[in-house]
Amino acid sequence: MNPSEELKKVLESQLSTTLDQLKVDEAGKSTLVSAIANTVQVAISDTNLKIQLQTIFEYEQHYLELIKAYKEEIKFANTVQEDVRRERSQFFTQTLKEVIATLNSEQVDSTTASKWIYELVESYTKSLDLSSDLAKTQVVDLLGKLKEKSKRDINTVQKTIEPSEPTNTPNDVSK
Amino acid sequence: MMLASEFSHDFERKSVLFCLETLKELRSYLIQDFLQKSREIYLPSFKFERNEYLLEQSINKYFLVWSSRYWLIVESAIQREFSNLDQEKRQVQDQCAHIFLKLLENMSEEMSNRSLGLAHEILEKNIQFLTKLIATGDISNKTYDELSYLHHRDKALFEREFDKLKA
């Protein structure tokens, strides 16, 4: 049972007792108890919803600010990775074909040409892998920074929200 | 006023970009040499067409000399972009030295699988030399010149080996 339902039950029982003492008839009592309890429950639920929305809003706001603060780094990490991917794809789809065509047009023996091509592909891709690792390191570092910062922000939001939560629980009311 | 963290983010980006650019420039030489019919590639291709061993040594020589060109690229780019910034210069040099080492290690790994005499021997020497330099934690201007010198030494060692084999 959630807190607002619990509170509704307590309220219904107390109202019922009071209305009995006032000798209100059963039909009138039932209408009154149900109307008052429902109104209070809606008010309590609204408060909880507001607190939850406020938490989400504060978190989203912090998150957007975080992205804004790291905008340049996110853009940079994305650009460097994209550049390496583009170069790799261009090498295999275009550049390599041009190299093979040049070796053929010069009439380099096919076995000799294959040896050169093999070494070219090995060296070129290993160098590209080095670039890709560098770009990846940049992304991993950035993700680490964002994670750390957002963890700190969540804690800050929780601390900001906690004091505004109601201190009286339904159990307190019943006491 | 620029905050310290903003400054370091800027430098980090500049440094990574610098290393990526130098690697890209090195790759572009490779393609240029093939497309512009460099004598280092095409001459031995015909000259040693019937001598597999000398052809393979020529290929190894080309790629080894190509990789050692990396430090020449770094040297001139650093002079251009970091000439008055000693601390930044040292950090970038250090990062590039690590990349250079990785480049040589990759080549050495590939060559050790095929047990290629001289090229592998030269590579191993270069790797040892570079590892020692990095371990000192300070790539000073003097050691920096020594790295550039590798490029010329490797070329000469190969020429000597070729003369010996041809004789």
Side-chain angles (χ1 to χ4, degrees):
Chain A
M1 195 184 291
N2 69 40
S4 69
E5 279 169 358
E6 216 172 301
L7 178 65
K8 188 183 170 188
K9 279 229 169 243
V10 173
L11 198 62
E12 278 173 346
S13 137
Q14 286 185 353
L15 274 172
S16 185
T17 314
T18 311
L19 291 173
D20 279 343
Q21 284 165 3
L22 292 171
K23 298 199 169 56
V24 176
D25 65 277
E26 272 306 310
K29 186 181 85 177
S30 164
T31 313
L32 265 173
V33 166
S34 154
I36 294 171
N38 280 339
T39 310
V40 172
Q41 193 196 17
V42 168
I44 297 289
S45 298
D46 277 356
T47 312
N48 278 338
L49 186 65
K50 272 179 197 156
I51 290 166
Q52 281 167 3
L53 285 175
Q54 177 72 6
T55 311
I56 294 169
F57 176 73
E58 296 262 344
Y59 176 71
E60 291 288 324
Q61 204 176 23
H62 274 79
Y63 197 65
L64 283 174
E65 273 165 19
L66 194 63
I67 289 177
K68 214 165 121 190
Y70 283 89
K71 187 179 73 183
E72 286 306 314
E73 290 202 38
I74 293 170
K75 221 160 80 184
F76 177 73
N78 188 46
T79 309
V80 292
Q81 277 212 315
E82 184 55 37
D83 281 353
V84 178
R85 273 199 295 267
R86 203 180 304 123
E87 193 189 333
R88 194 185 293 270
S89 140
Q90 195 185 351
F91 175 71
F92 285 105
T93 56
Q94 190 186 328
T95 318
L96 196 55
K97 281 181 193 163
E98 286 170 16
V99 168
I100 294 171
T102 312
L103 285 163
N104 284 340
S105 74
E106 282 304 296
Q107 297 185 16
V108 174
D109 169 68
S110 64
T111 317
T112 305
S114 327
K115 286 184 185 194
W116 281 108
I117 296 293
Y118 175 81
E119 288 302 325
L120 167 68
V121 172
E122 277 289 312
S123 300
Y124 202 95
T125 50
K126 275 184 178 155
S127 167
L128 271 174
D129 291 345
L130 270 180
S131 295
S132 179
D133 286 348
L134 255 176
K136 254 185 232 158
T137 312
Q138 188 69 13
V139 174
V140 171
D141 284 353
L142 177 62
L143 283 177
K145 277 182 211 163
L146 284 172
K147 237 184 207 170
E148 187 52 37
K149 190 82 179 37
S150 85
K151 218 196 259 167
R152 264 184 278 149
D153 283 349
I154 290 173
N155 290 339
T156 315
V157 170
Q158 277 170 348
K159 273 179 197 154
T160 319
I161 296 304
E162 272 164 16
S164 66
E165 277 181 355
T167 46
N168 288 340
T169 63
N171 289 337
D172 293 327
V173 172
S174 68
K175 276 173 197 168
Chain B
M1 197 180 78
M2 191 180 260
L3 297 169
S5 60
E6 284 174 20
F7 172 78
S8 81
H9 288 169
D10 277 352
F11 174 68
E12 246 172 66
R13 283 203 290 267
K14 193 176 172 184
S15 161
V16 169
L17 206 56
F18 179 87
C19 295
L20 287 171
E21 287 298 324
T22 49
L23 279 169
K24 196 173 180 176
E25 193 176 335
L26 182 68
R27 288 193 292 271
S28 77
Y29 281 119
L30 203 53
I31 302 303
Q32 263 176 44
D33 284 350
F34 275 92
L35 295 181
Q36 291 174 5
K37 300 163 194 170
S38 156
R39 285 172 64 86
E40 299 292 323
I41 294 172
Y42 288 82
L43 189 65
S45 294
F46 293 108
K47 202 170 163 188
F48 304 128
E49 198 178 275
R50 292 175 194 282
N51 188 331
E52 202 185 335
Y53 182 74
L54 283 179
L55 177 68
E56 284 199 345
Q57 290 303 318
S58 305
I59 295 175
N60 293 337
K61 175 196 167 194
Y62 172 78
F63 283 97
L64 193 69
V65 172
W66 165 77
S67 70
S68 60
R69 201 190 269 183
Y70 178 70
W71 204 257
L72 298 182
I73 296 170
V74 169
E75 186 185 41
S76 72
I78 281 184
Q79 292 307 332
R80 213 169 44 232
E81 293 181 37
F82 297 93
S83 59
N84 297 317
L85 306 159
D86 269 356
Q87 201 192 341
E88 287 192 358
K89 192 166 142 182
R90 226 169 292 138
Q91 282 184 47
V92 173
Q93 278 173 338
D94 190 56
Q95 195 169 0
C96 289
H98 280 91
I99 290 174
F100 190 26
L101 181 62
K102 194 86 195 136
L103 197 71
L104 298 181
E105 280 172 348
N106 283 345
M107 288 192 79
S108 171
E109 200 183 291
E110 158 73 11
M111 286 187 177
S112 68
N113 294 337
R114 292 183 286 146
S115 60
L116 298 165
L118 179 66
H120 191 236
E121 202 180 296
I122 291 177
L123 262 176
E124 283 303 308
K125 270 188 190 156
N126 290 354
I127 288 170
Q128 278 172 17
F129 179 67
L130 195 53
T131 310
K132 228 185 259 174
L133 282 189
I134 290 174
T136 62
D138 177 28
I139 311 275
S140 65
N141 284 338
K142 188 176 161 281
T143 50
Y144 183 48
D145 287 342
E146 287 176 48
L147 278 171
S148 308
Y149 138 90
L150 288 182
H151 179 74
H152 305 287
R153 192 200 60 184
D154 296 348
K155 245 181 172 171
L157 286 177
F158 263 107
E159 292 304 334
R160 206 184 292 166
E161 175 80 353
F162 275 113
D163 288 344
K164 213 161 55 185
L165 288 167
K166 278 187 271 180

